[in-house]
Amino acid sequence: MAWMDMKTNPIELVIGPIESYEDQLFGYRAAFEAYVLIKDMAWSEKLAKYAQFLPELQRGLPVPDAYKQETPGSDADLNAYDVIYYAGHSNAGSTTIAVIQVKTGRTWPAFRSRPCL
């Protein structure tokens, strides 16, 4: 899982079964998608200062605590990217403007997520 520790890489490659929106019966089957992203280093640096506020922002959300099960870390990565390639289900309909790379599996408990905006 070394890819989750990479912080200064200029290119991100996301491939896999990402979203399960199309499985209207159980929501289990996920569609495969692929993205090639180029990190905008200047904007990523500007976004980094907001990560420290994520726990406080979540506490201030006007929803019951039952919806606040996951606590975002103040060390989260917030990065801006230029998408240079979409493939698979990401080409169906409109294109995604935000990608959370890790949602399930063995990496979720250890790393939570790496938002790509």
Side-chain angles (χ1 to χ4, degrees), residues 34-56:
Y35 304 89
V36 178
L37 311 162
I38 304 295
K39 187 183 291 183
D40 184 325
M41 297 297 202
W43 271 104
S44 293
E45 188 176 315
K46 292 175 186 178
L47 286 171
K49 64 183 174 188
Y50 295 104
Q52 66 182 322
F53 300 115
L54 291 177
E56 181 181 341

Side-chain angles (χ1 to χ4, degrees), residues 22-41:
E22 297 297 320
D23 183 358
Q24 307 255 331
L25 186 59
F26 296 112
Y28 297 148
R29 292 183 313 168
F32 275 77
E33 303 177 19
Y35 304 89
V36 178
L37 311 162
I38 304 295
K39 187 183 291 183
D40 184 325
M41 297 297 202

Side-chain angles (χ1 to χ4, degrees), residues 1-111:
M1 292 190 289
W3 67 274
M4 289 297 291
D5 292 325
M6 294 178 7
K7 306 289 184 189
T8 60
N9 52 311
I11 298 174
E12 293 275 356
L13 178 61
V14 181
I15 300 173
I18 310 270
E19 304 294 350
S20 59
Y21 303 133
E22 297 297 320
D23 183 358
Q24 307 255 331
L25 186 59
F26 296 112
Y28 297 148
R29 292 183 313 168
F32 275 77
E33 303 177 19
Y35 304 89
V36 178
L37 311 162
I38 304 295
K39 187 183 291 183
D40 184 325
M41 297 297 202
W43 271 104
S44 293
E45 188 176 315
K46 292 175 186 178
L47 286 171
K49 64 183 174 188
Y50 295 104
Q52 66 182 322
F53 300 115
L54 291 177
E56 181 181 341
L57 289 170
Q58 181 175 355
R59 282 192 299 274
L61 289 173
V63 297
D65 287 340
Y67 295 108
K68 302 176 189 179
Q69 299 280 329
E70 301 156 4
T71 303
S74 58
D75 61 343
D77 290 333
L78 295 178
N79 296 304
Y81 293 86
D82 291 313
V83 181
I84 61 170
Y85 184 74
Y86 288 98
H89 191 260
S90 60
N91 277 327
S94 61
T95 54
T96 303
I97 61 169
V99 177
I100 305 297
Q101 290 183 341
V102 177
K103 293 184 180 182
T104 60
R106 64 189 177 105
T107 55
W108 177 251
F111 294 99

